[in-house]
């Protein structure tokens, strides 16, 4: 009998994401029939008390998705168990090993990465790191390349690389996976996916929330390490990678590593020209007054809550095509999108002004708050005017069938796909060690460049799109950020 152990099984990640995802998977009949799910944490409570807490977390989420039913819950309940353990103590984990049975075990570490090394050492001693077992690591793994290697060396001592699944939940989003299908499943896009037809690429991850009581963690990591090192660079890799030979996990991840190795280094001399650091000041978000980061923290801080970067990929496909990335807290909208901006037509036969300006084609991949892929093209305005007039139209490429609207399927939690893949041993959407190392190396060089130039974060009003310098990053090249 296979088992899934959730270390930190009573924590925020488990209750908010992992256990609802497991309910949905069970509801849809996708979990292995004999899979056992064990919550493991320090809290001294009975399995019955734990299951009651899980229901409180899962039921509202399932009802909101119109997916709650007592039959599915009863089936999940039969899988659920709980054991209070000290995850860093091998003797304590031996009881967990006995509870998990004789089948393969997948362990999800939903705990602080600072504990990973001690936990995997104890797991190996307790027999939870056998050749058929797997381990899932939640980000962030380390704070820089050195600390990442220290943690990962401990993991590698207990598990082979093929058994390690480093999770980035952005890769579990349906639209991110659809980007692979869009690029490599259609003959019309891949021939245009290069510096001959694409002018630039934008990647935006905007959040309206502030740091709040998470400031002890955030003040150590900042937006660069919290968002750029993983989420943003993963999205960049999927946009920029060469076609893999097949969908074998290593084929895909080999191409992503090549992109990271091709990223141009940001030197101290370039730091202020191609990057922007920001920190939110007081302002209004969605009409509500909010405090500055420093007020939330209670004392001054040089931690960035906003980053904008111009990244260049030095290879034949992308030479001369800038990739603009921005992410931040307390921005004007909650929005995650990738914008592929195509070059203008070489010569317009339609003129300008009253006959309609020609807007450059634009492909927008939206990840949140809604998931969609749309293409903006020029079209003739309806009518009998003697002179042809043009207008831009936006065509949605998602959930249509035969030119008609189709109801989209239930929007899945990103962890559903990733949990299912980990249980099935499919590592395509997970991060390989050399991939994480290359990302940390690039981010560390950028952080060092900031330190060398003493680049302090620029203030921006909460509810804005960041410091004015972020707009200048594009405008001085004749470009601007995408607006809706």
């Amino acid at each position: 009998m296979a088992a899934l152990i959730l270390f930190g099984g009573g924590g925020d990640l488990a209750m908010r994401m992992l256990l609802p995802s497991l309910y949905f998977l069970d509801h849809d009949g996708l979990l292995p029939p004999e899979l056992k799910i064990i919550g493991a944490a320090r809290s001294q409570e009975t399995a019955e008390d734990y299951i009651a807490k899980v229901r409180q977390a899962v039921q509202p989420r399932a009802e909101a998705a119109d997916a709650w039913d007592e039959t599915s819950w009863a089936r999940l309940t039969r899988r659920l168990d709980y054991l209070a353990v000290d995850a860093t103590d091998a003797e304590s984990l031996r009881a967990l090993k006995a509870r998990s049975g004789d089948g393969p075990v997948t362990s999800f570490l939903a705990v602080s990465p600072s504990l990973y090394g001690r936990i995997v050492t104890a797991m190996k001693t307790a027999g939870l790191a056998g050749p058929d077992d797997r381990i899932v690591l939640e980000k962030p793994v380390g704070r820089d390349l050195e600390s990442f290697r220290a943690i990962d060396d401990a993991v590698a001592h207990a598990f082979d690389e093929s058994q390690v699944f480093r999770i980035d939940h952005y890769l579990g989003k349906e639209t991110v996976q659809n980007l692979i299908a869009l690029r490599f499943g259609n003959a019309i896009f891949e021939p245009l996916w290069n510096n001959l037809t694409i002018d630039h690429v934008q990647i935006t991850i905007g959040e309206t929330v502030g740091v709040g009581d998470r400031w002890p963690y955030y003040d150590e990591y900042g937006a660069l390490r919290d968002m750029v090192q993983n989420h943003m660079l993963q999205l960049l890799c999927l946009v920029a990678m060469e076609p893999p030979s097949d969908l074998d996990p290593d084929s895909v991840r080999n191409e992503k590593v090549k992109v990271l190795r091709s990223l141009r280094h940001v030197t101290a001399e370039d730091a202020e020209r191609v990057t922007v650091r920001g920190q939110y000041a007081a302002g209004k978000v969605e009409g509500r007054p909010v405090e500055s980061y420093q007020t939330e923290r209670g004392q001054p801080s040089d931690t960035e809550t906003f980053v904008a970067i111009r990244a260049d990929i030095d290879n034949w496909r992308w030479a001369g095509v800038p990739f603009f990335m921005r992410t931040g807290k307390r921005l004007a909208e909650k929005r995650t999108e990738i914008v592929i901006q195509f070059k203008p037509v070489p010569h317009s036969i339609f003129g300008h002004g009253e006959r309609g300006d020609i807007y450059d084609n634009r492909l927008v991949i939206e990840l949140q708050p809604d998931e969609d892929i749309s293409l903006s093209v020029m079209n003739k305005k309806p009518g009998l005017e003697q002179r042809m007039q043009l207008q831009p139209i936006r065509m949605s490429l998602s959930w249509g069938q035969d030119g008609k609207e189709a109801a989209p399927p239930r929007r899945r939690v990103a962890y559903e796909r990733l949990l299912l893949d980990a249980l099935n041993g499919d590592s395509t959407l997970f991060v390989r060690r050399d991939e994480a190392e290359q990302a940390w190396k690039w981010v560390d060089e950028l952080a060092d460049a900031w330190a060398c130039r003493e680049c302090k974060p620029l203030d921006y009003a909460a509810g804005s799109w960041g410091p004015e310098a972020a707009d200048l990053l594009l405008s001085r090249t004749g470009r601007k950020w995408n607006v809706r």
Side-chain angles (χ1 to χ4, degrees), residues 93-109:
L93 292 188
R94 284 192 175 95
L96 187 60
K97 168 62 178 173
R99 190 77 66 93
S100 66
D102 297 327
V105 175
T106 300
S107 297
F108 193 118
L109 300 194

Side-chain angles (χ1 to χ4, degrees), residues 33-89:
E34 301 301 317
L35 179 71
K36 189 172 186 177
I37 301 169
I38 306 172
R42 288 181 175 272
S43 176
Q44 295 293 333
E45 57 185 322
T46 65
E48 291 74 19
D49 290 339
Y50 178 72
I51 291 171
K53 283 171 55 178
V54 173
R55 178 167 184 150
Q56 290 177 351
V58 168
Q59 185 171 353
R61 186 78 174 262
E63 287 177 342
D66 197 26
W68 176 260
D69 66 74
E70 293 294 337
T71 301
S72 297
W73 170 248
R75 188 168 58 246
L76 183 66
T77 300
R78 289 192 291 272
R79 300 179 184 274
L80 282 173
D81 198 0
Y82 177 81
L83 189 63
V85 298
D86 177 356
T88 63
D89 178 67

Side-chain angles (χ1 to χ4, degrees), residues 108 136-137 164-168 171 234 249 253 256 417-423 426-432 435:
F108 193 118
V136 183
L137 305 179
V164 181
F165 292 72
R166 298 172 193 83
I167 205 165
D168 185 328
L171 299 184
Q234 284 296 315
R253 296 189 294 181
K256 289 162 66 182
R417 162 56 60 191
L418 298 173
L419 281 167
L420 192 61
D421 283 357
L423 290 170
D426 184 347
S427 57
T428 305
L429 298 176
F430 294 83
V431 181
R432 203 169 59 190
E435 191 179 340

